[in-house]
């Protein structure tokens, strides 16, 4: 029997491919750290792995060097206070909800929220009121949350304590945070924005035109940003920004120390410090170069005659949603072809691949992406495909945009085969990963489309959290 590959071996082999990353994290490798004078950090990383020795400060009682980094972020984002997160944005999201919604309370939330939000509801027995995003019909994906939907839900649920929504969502589509914030504040409620995918937007607002308004600039009260996804800090790092006095800082700090590790990583926190320093000193040049590369990509992609690239008035254009189905390639096939060329996108949904750019991408990365897309066009034409008439018979999964019927969240539970789940009440979220958005949540009722979608994801060898290895799912127990 051959020796199984280790994590280290896989990472080394992948790095040796000289891959182009259009997936998180945003730094895209060591190059940018070395270019801006932080090579010694990479060389000495093991020696930087310490604990709370004298002078090292404490993440949960910041009075020294960690507090200095927090102040850097508060200044960069123009907010009242910033907190460093070493358990990812998930820890910030959970803390924000627990700090603003009482035990057994109610929250208005986007149905396409990240799984961490559902975890917070479970911890505090919070009742969700779902705001369903609009559908981008041409692409079959979820778009913005309509402010009118939030107003309607508040009228029906005046006891809801807060609103939480992702902006941008995984595809880069933002909501009108300013309008939603006004609706919340007129009622004395708190708006939490999961801006995990938009930590960079504040800087695009500072230096460029044509990007949605960052939540920090739009009136949100708490904004959680995954700086690792698009900026320069390492995976698992993020920040929580408090933007108004509607938030009790003592509650936030108490919940953060409850859910975060009691042994925070100093190398991770150091990467947050480096990220802040590079943005402060070189942010303008880096963001403007990023914008130039993005603009060039969109302009050049249009020269591929039958490519479809998502356009939307609230799109964060750093997320490039690409559809090559007129050339006979669905999303999985497009991803596979690009992978073979050493280009790795972030996400596949139906016919779409989403290439997530980051601050560390360079013009040659976009060149290799475009080269791969051009080669798909050439290969398809060589096979005799006529993109003017070709129609790929694979639609976007309707399960991603359907509204499932709802009932009370079941108290008694049992496990059944996913094949027998139609008509049963979900008792444990089923979460394809990525994007980490539940396909079905507790209290929702399985229908045939959602069952078929879950089975298809596993047959495609994708990760589906909540689906047991034996194919069973947790449902409400029938009497």
């Amino acid at each position: 029997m051959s020796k199984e590959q280790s994590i280290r071996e896989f990472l080394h082999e992948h790095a040796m491919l000289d891959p182009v990353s259009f997936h998180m994290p945003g730094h895209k490798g060591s190059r940018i750290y070395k270019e801006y004078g932080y090579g010694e950090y990479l060389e000495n990383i093991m020696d930087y792995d310490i604990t709370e020795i004298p002078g090292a400060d404490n993440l949960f009682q910041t009075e020294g060097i960690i507090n200095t980094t927090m102040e850097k972020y508060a200044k960069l984002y123009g907010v009242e206070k910033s907190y460093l997160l070493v358990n990812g944005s998930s820890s910030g999201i959970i803390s924000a909800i627990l700090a603003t919604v009482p035990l057994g309370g109610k929250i208005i939330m986007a149905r396409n929220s990240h799984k961490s939000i559902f975890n917070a509801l479970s911890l505090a027995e919070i009742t969700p009121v779902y705001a369903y995003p609009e559908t981008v019909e041409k692409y079959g994906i979820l778009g913005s949350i309509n402010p009118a939907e939030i107003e309607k839900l508040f009228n029906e649920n005046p006891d809801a304590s807060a609103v939480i929504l992702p902006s941008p969502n995984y595809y880069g589509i933002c909501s009108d945070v300013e309008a939603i914030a006004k609706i919340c504040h007129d009622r004395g409620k708190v708006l939490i924005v999961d801006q995990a995918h938009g930590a960079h937007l504040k800087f695009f607002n500072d230096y460029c035109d044509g990007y949605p308004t960052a939540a920090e600039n739009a009136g949100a009260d708490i904004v959680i940003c995954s700086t690792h996804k698009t900026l320069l800090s390492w995976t698992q790092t993020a920040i929580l920004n408090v933007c108004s006095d509607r938030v009790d800082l003592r509650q936030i700090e108490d919940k953060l120390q409850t859910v975060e590790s009691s042994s925070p990583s100093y190398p991770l926190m150091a990467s947050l410090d480096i990220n802040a320093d590079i943005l402060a000193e070189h942010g303008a040049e880096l963001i403007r170069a990023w914008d130039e590369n993005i603009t060039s990509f969109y302009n050049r992609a249009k020269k591929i005659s039958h490519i479809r690239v998502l356009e939307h008035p609230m799109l964060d254009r750093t997320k490039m949603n690409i559809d090559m189905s007129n050339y006979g390639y669905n999303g999985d096939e497009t991803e596979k072809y690009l992978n073979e060329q050493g280009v790795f996108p972030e996400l596949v949904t139906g016919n779409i691949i989403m290439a997530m750019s980051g601050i560390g991408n360079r013009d040659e990365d976009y060149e290799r992406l475009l080269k791969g897309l051009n080669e798909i066009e050439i290969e398809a034409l060589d096979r005799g495909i006529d993109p003017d008439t070709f129609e790929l018979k694979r639609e976007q999964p309707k399960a991603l945009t359907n509204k499932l019927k709802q009932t009370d969240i079941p108290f008694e539970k049992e496990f059944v085969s996913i094949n027998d789940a139609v008509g049963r009440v979900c008792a444990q979220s089923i979460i394809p990963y990525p994007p980490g958005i539940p396909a079905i949540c507790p209290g929702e009722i399985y229908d045939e489309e959602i069952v078929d979608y879950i089975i298809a994801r596993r047959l495609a060898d994708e990760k589906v959290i909540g689906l047991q290895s034996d194919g069973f799912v947790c449902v409400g127990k029938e009497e």
Side-chain angles (χ1 to χ4, degrees), residues 70 74 77-82 241-247 249:
M70 289 165 53
Y77 282 90
V79 298
E80 295 201 2
K81 190 153 188 176
S82 295
N241 287 329
V242 176
C243 309
S244 80
D245 58 8
R246 296 179 186 85
V247 180
L249 297 182

Side-chain angles (χ1 to χ4, degrees), residues 189-205:
K189 311 294 185 176
V190 171
L191 174 60
I192 307 165
V193 175
D194 170 7
Q195 196 174 253
H197 288 269
H200 56 285
L201 285 178
K202 174 68 172 65
F203 308 104
F204 275 89
N205 291 170

Side-chain angles (χ1 to χ4, degrees), residues 170-206:
Y170 213 133
Y171 302 98
I173 299 174
C174 295
S175 295
D176 187 346
V177 173
E178 187 171 3
I180 294 171
K182 185 177 188 307
I183 292 167
C184 293
H185 299 159
D186 286 348
R187 291 163 172 76
K189 311 294 185 176
V190 171
L191 174 60
I192 307 165
V193 175
D194 170 7
Q195 196 174 253
H197 288 269
H200 56 285
L201 285 178
K202 174 68 172 65
F203 308 104
F204 275 89
N205 291 170
D206 289 345

Side-chain angles (χ1 to χ4, degrees), residues 37-87:
Y38 293 95
E40 90 290 341
Y41 167 79
L42 304 175
E43 294 169 5
N44 299 305
I45 193 72
M46 288 293 291
D47 297 321
Y48 293 171
D49 191 14
I50 62 168
T51 189
E52 290 90 344
I53 60 174
D57 206 359
N58 187 298
L59 182 60
F60 305 114
Q61 190 176 5
T62 57
E63 298 172 339
I65 58 175
I66 297 174
N67 189 64
T68 298
T69 300
M70 289 165 53
E71 289 175 347
K72 291 177 184 178
Y73 277 103
K75 183 177 180 181
L76 281 168
Y77 282 90
V79 298
E80 295 201 2
K81 190 153 188 176
S82 295
Y83 295 91
L84 308 188
L85 306 174
V86 292
N87 288 60

Side-chain angles (χ1 to χ4, degrees), residues 32 58 154 206 239 251 376 382 402-403 425 443:
I32 195 166
N58 187 298
F154 263 130
D206 289 345
I239 57 169
Q251 283 291 321
I376 287 175
D382 287 344
N402 280 353
K403 294 182 182 180
V425 181

Side-chain angles (χ1 to χ4, degrees), residues 81-105:
K81 190 153 188 176
S82 295
Y83 295 91
L84 308 188
L85 306 174
V86 292
N87 288 60
S89 279
S90 295
S91 63
I93 287 168
I94 293 170
S95 298
I97 293 172
L98 298 183
T100 56
V101 183
L103 182 69

